[in-house]
Amino acid sequence: MTNTRTKEVYSEVNSFLNLLLEEDRIKIPLKLRKLINDERLKDYNPQYSFEKPIDEQEISDEALAMIALLHINYWCNDNEEKERINNILKNNEDKYQAELREKYNPDNLFKKQKSEILNLENNTITEETAIIEYKEKNFLKKIFDKIKEEQIHYQEKLIKTSGLKNKLAQTLVCSADKFLSKRESTDGLTILAGFPFFEDWGRDTMIALPGICISTGRVESAKSILRTFAFYEKDGLMPNLFPEGENEPLYNTVDAALLFINCVWLYYEKTQDIKFVEEMYPVMQRIISGYERGTNFNIHMEEDGLISAGAGLDQVTWMDVRVGEILPTPRHGKPVEINAYWYNALCIMQKFSEVLKKNEEQEYGELAQKVKESFAREFWMEEKHCLKDVISETKADTQIRCNQIWAVSMPFTMLDEEKERQIVDTVFERLYTPYGLRTLDPKDEEFHASYGGEMIKRDLAYHQGTVWTFPMGGYYLAY
């Protein structure tokens, strides 16, 4: 069992590793990074900063020693620096052996030092680390300065790539980079859904990719992410949750696949990379075909051309909370945003078919027109000047929710300008806040004014009035 002091050392090392660029951090084996993170003291999270002198930052000698070993073994490219650090470690080792010669058998001390300290096979970093007296904070200062220099250069490169001149936009470009990560199980880039609790989710990735990658000019990153998802497409669906280890992906999302097509379109608009579109075209064909003929989670096209999804306890839209046998926000049927995504995807496929000369544009165009007519007829609520949230023949249908904003904000939309204006006005009057959009009209009897308390109370309020930030993107795009 790892003692408290060693756990504190792990915490210090873990906090330091968080300063590294992703390209340097992933050079450290995943198993070792996971060990450091798992074994750290969870309520001890020291914060290290480039803006503060190194002498004023609390970091133990043991942590310094471990960082030194990680540095020379994994991300240091300076051979002279490696040799210097190794000499210091050797000198410290010799001194320690001399001091303890009478108490311990010197033949057993520090044997295979590095392999024991960084012993991945036994899934441990031994407490031998604690006896190395690596007190030269000047060493850490050099690493700090090096990392800071790399960070500044890296951020300058990101800003240059984006082509954005506005200072706030440039800050957002650098901040967006923090959500990009490499997934070991797919060996490709991915987008983290949110700090600190969520890893990468298919739906969240497709929502965030246009802002994090395409608008920032990181088109190669976008391409890498889209290729990863294309590889895992199954039955016309995209993964909602990627596998860990030998586990299979989970596909319980109706929106990720349709948003995937939207991302390919936005990528094409930005790059005019028709070769990539042609590469993705068969995947997009399978998505449309899967939704049209029907696929898992009761996702299928009805006779009116609209998409219906969900059954039983399966929650497949982003409002997916389930509390035991309770669905706080049941949206089985025809969700408004899913059908906005569906129409948008059909129009995109019509455009791509024309560009690639696939001779399928008429088929896609006719189905899109059918969807457009059905949507306007079935979703519009004249008395409320907005759209139904879902068509399910329940009271949930006429609840005023933020999901309708995507019927106005997608590249291809179905309603006339006057109806779109009324939707935006209604969303502003009923759901807008400076921090995001409410998930439910405050006048609704099911509205929860606060989110807090025990988990069941939080879950019941999760999409029943709680303000979410990400729909604000749809609101802005609606203009």
Side-chain angles (χ1 to χ4, degrees), residues 106-354:
D107 293 333
N108 295 328
L109 283 175
F110 295 95
K111 192 173 182 180
K112 298 179 181 177
Q113 178 195 39
K114 289 179 190 174
S115 62
E116 287 181 356
I117 292 173
L118 302 177
N119 189 341
L120 302 181
E121 207 170 77
N122 296 328
N123 196 35
T124 183
I125 297 179
T126 72
E127 295 175 26
E128 303 273 342
T129 303
I131 65 177
I132 301 172
E133 297 183 14
Y134 199 83
K135 297 181 179 179
E136 288 193 2
K137 282 206 171 181
N138 185 49
F139 144 75
L140 192 60
K141 183 179 184 302
K142 286 183 178 180
I143 297 182
F144 259 54
D145 290 344
K146 176 71 172 173
I147 295 173
K148 185 176 181 179
E149 181 184 337
E150 290 176 348
Q151 289 276 11
I152 292 172
H153 177 72
Y154 181 67
Q155 290 183 355
E156 288 173 346
K157 183 179 177 182
L158 291 177
I159 290 170
K160 183 178 179 180
T161 298
S162 74
L164 298 170
K165 305 301 181 184
N166 180 275
K167 291 296 182 182
L168 175 58
Q170 291 177 352
T171 300
L172 290 172
V173 166
C174 295
S175 297
D177 177 65
K178 305 302 182 186
F179 289 91
L180 276 173
S181 185
K182 183 179 180 182
R183 170 164 278 285
E184 295 282 345
S185 64
T186 63
D187 193 33
L189 286 179
T190 190
I191 295 176
L192 299 176
F195 295 103
F197 302 114
F198 300 110
E199 294 184 351
D200 50 343
W201 292 72
R203 172 189 301 117
D204 303 68
T205 297
M206 294 305 144
I207 290 170
L209 186 143
I212 288 177
C213 296
I214 297 176
S215 66
T216 60
R218 300 185 64 171
V219 293
E220 290 303 315
S221 297
K223 196 189 302 190
S224 172
I225 293 168
L226 291 171
R227 278 190 173 128
T228 296
F229 275 85
F231 179 80
Y232 280 93
E233 175 270 328
K234 181 180 179 182
D235 300 324
L237 298 177
M238 289 290 170
N240 193 34
L241 188 63
F242 270 116
E244 294 290 350
E246 300 299 321
N247 296 326
E248 291 294 317
L250 298 179
Y251 289 85
N252 56 328
T253 169
V254 62
D255 37 16
L258 299 176
L259 290 172
F260 171 89
I261 295 176
N262 186 61
C263 286
V264 175
W265 171 257
L266 296 176
Y267 170 86
Y268 173 69
E269 279 197 314
K270 180 81 172 182
T271 65
Q272 297 299 300
D273 183 356
I274 194 62
K275 287 185 178 180
F276 182 71
V277 172
E278 190 159 20
E279 179 186 338
M280 295 295 105
Y281 194 82
V283 179
M284 296 187 288
Q285 280 181 312
R286 292 196 295 271
I287 291 170
I288 298 297
S289 177
Y291 278 61
E292 195 172 357
R293 71 172 185 270
T295 184
N296 301 321
F297 303 102
N298 202 32
I299 298 169
H300 63 281
M301 187 179 76
E302 299 277 8
E303 289 185 9
D304 55 11
L306 299 176
I307 296 297
S308 183
L313 295 176
D314 289 330
Q315 294 273 70
V316 291
T317 74
W318 77 277
M319 293 185 168
D320 56 1
V321 172
R322 171 183 166 186
V323 184
E325 301 294 307
I326 301 172
L327 302 181
T329 317
R331 302 185 74 222
H332 298 158
K334 305 172 187 176
V336 62
E337 80 280 14
I338 302 306
N339 281 285
Y341 301 158
W342 171 237
Y343 174 79
N344 182 66
L346 291 170
C347 290
I348 289 170
M349 291 300 287
Q350 181 183 11
K351 295 287 186 182
F352 282 157
S353 176
E354 291 173 358

